[in-house]
Amino acid sequence: MGKKLALNVFYNICIFVCVVLAYWGFEYTRYEFILGAVFIGTVFIILKIRLIKEVRNIQKKP
């Protein structure tokens, strides 16, 4: 379970970095950075949702 917690923290950090990068790209009109940040951020959000579902299933088992 410790590995899953560390993975969750890593996903949160990556999502935060993607949000900051997208904001920076918007501020300096660098649309390629915005596109990359949105794409990578979406991938990390999907991975985070899968991790949350996996943890919930582990906790439901007696």
Side-chain angles (χ1 to χ4, degrees):
M1 196 60 124
K3 289 181 184 180
K4 294 191 187 304
L5 179 66
L7 192 59
N8 188 33
V9 170
F10 175 72
Y11 287 162
N12 286 335
I13 291 170
C14 290
I15 292 168
F16 177 74
V17 169
C18 286
V19 168
V20 170
L21 184 63
Y23 176 76
W24 183 86
F26 183 73
E27 189 174 304
Y28 291 102
T29 61
R30 299 296 301 258
Y31 297 111
E32 63 273 10
F33 288 159
I34 296 171
L35 182 63
V38 168
F39 177 73
I40 294 172
T42 304
V43 169
F44 279 117
I45 289 172
I46 291 169
L47 289 172
K48 184 176 171 69
I49 290 170
R50 285 185 183 176
L51 180 67
I52 290 171
K53 286 182 180 181
E54 185 179 332
V55 169
R56 283 184 185 168
N57 288 336
I58 290 173
Q59 289 178 347
K60 284 183 181 179
K61 292 181 182 177

